[in-house]
Amino acid sequence: MAKLYIVPTPIGNLEDITLRALRILKEVDTILAEDTRTTGKLLKHFDIQTRMQSHHKFNEHKTVEAVAARILGGENIALVSDAGTPAISDPGFLVVRKCVRKGIDVECLPGATAFVPALVQSGLPNDKFCFEGFLPPKKGRQTRLKEIAAEERTVIIYESPYRVVKTLSQLIEVCGTERFVSVSREISKLYEQTVRGTLQEVHSWFLEHEPKGEFVIILGGLSTGNKEEKE
């Protein structure tokens, strides 16, 4: 019986892809790719000839019905994003939901996800955490920030290099200067870096060092993230 495979791809270092992922990408009939140019480079590197089809946030809602129909018709399909695990702050949820509702088998392979290494190496409690992903750029942002400030679990936030300083500044406004934070960028890539300290310390560091790359902010919870708790 045909199925939908969710296949994580490297977030930086190409060695992070699994042998199983490579096999699935070679064996399926079609690969749904967030950006066929980006995935094309990955496939070329590993000499994978499987045909690709574009599947991104702008067309996902229009294509999921057709994708499900193709799988029901016997076609094995793999879904990949540009980097990491599909549907984690990337396209994928809609097609997975459609397949589940139609009784189609969905198999998600384990693999790269940016927030896991960022969380583990932060030094903050990781027995309980809250994944926020990207915050709303405008509408609802302040409400979400206030909710985050009151959250007792460790909080994970994705951010771009263009907004990371602003986000840290806004977190200072709602959390105060002494909340502990760990900010990782370019995970698994050549210039991977993690900066840890209070919100004030980390904010000041990025004011002096131009932010580059994709960021994961790990914010200490209300009960465990203040300065005295970390020492």
Side-chain angles (χ1 to χ4, degrees):
M1 183 177 179
K3 65 174 67 174
L4 174 69
Y5 294 92
I6 310 300
V7 182
T9 54
I11 57 177
N13 193 320
L14 291 179
E15 294 179 358
D16 291 338
I17 198 165
T18 68
L19 295 175
R20 182 178 168 208
L22 292 175
R23 177 179 61 80
I24 293 297
L25 292 177
K26 290 178 181 179
E27 292 179 352
V28 295
D29 300 294
T30 303
I31 297 172
L32 301 180
E34 182 180 4
D35 186 326
T36 54
R37 295 166 298 181
T38 300
T39 301
K41 296 176 183 177
L42 177 71
L43 300 187
K44 182 178 180 180
H45 181 83
F46 290 106
D47 193 27
I48 297 173
Q49 307 297 324
T50 309
R51 71 174 182 266
M52 290 185 290
Q53 176 184 323
S54 179
H55 183 88
H56 48 71
K57 64 181 180 180
F58 301 108
N59 71 358
E60 185 178 21
H61 64 288
K62 299 178 181 178
T63 60
V64 292
E65 191 72 44
V67 169
R70 287 163 58 186
I71 299 173
L72 288 171
E75 186 175 345
N76 285 296
I77 293 180
L79 174 68
V80 301
S81 61
D82 288 348
T85 300
I88 302 297
S89 293
D90 274 324
F93 164 69
L94 294 180
V95 69
V96 169
R97 182 177 65 180
K98 177 64 69 173
C99 288
V100 169
R101 289 178 174 178
K102 287 185 173 292
I104 296 170
D105 193 8
V106 178
E107 183 174 330
C108 183
L109 280 62
T113 303
F115 79 78
V116 173
L119 172 63
V120 172
Q121 69 192 16
S122 71
L124 285 160
N126 54 34
D127 54 333
K128 295 180 181 180
F129 57 88
C130 174
F131 178 75
E132 286 289 334
F134 288 98
L135 299 178
K138 294 181 180 180
K139 185 178 180 180
R141 185 177 179 88
Q142 284 302 316
T143 299
R144 187 72 61 84
L145 285 166
K146 290 177 181 178
E147 291 172 350
I148 288 171
E151 175 61 61
E152 295 191 352
R153 296 168 294 179
T154 300
V155 180
I156 301 164
I157 301 169
Y158 282 173
E159 194 51 273
S160 76
Y162 312 107
R163 297 184 66 97
V164 67
V165 171
K166 179 180 179 180
T167 297
L168 290 170
S169 177
Q170 291 176 324
L171 286 171
I172 288 173
E173 292 175 5
V174 296
C175 299
T177 59
E178 300 303 297
R179 188 80 67 92
F180 188 75
V181 67
S182 174
V183 179
S184 296
R185 70 179 189 94
E186 296 292 81
I187 292 173
S188 87
K189 298 179 182 178
L190 181 61
Y191 297 105
E192 177 178 352
Q193 182 182 40
T194 295
V195 180
R196 305 175 183 86
T198 66
L199 277 169
Q200 186 65 63
E201 291 167 345
V202 175
H203 178 259
S204 297
W205 196 94
F206 282 111
L207 285 176
E208 298 176 6
H209 302 82
E210 182 183 1
K212 295 181 180 180
E214 297 302 315
F215 286 79
V216 184
I217 299 171
I218 309 295
L219 179 70
L222 179 62
S223 61
T224 60
N226 51 40
K227 186 175 181 179
E228 58 267 24
E229 288 281 350
K230 79 180 180 69
E231 295 177 341

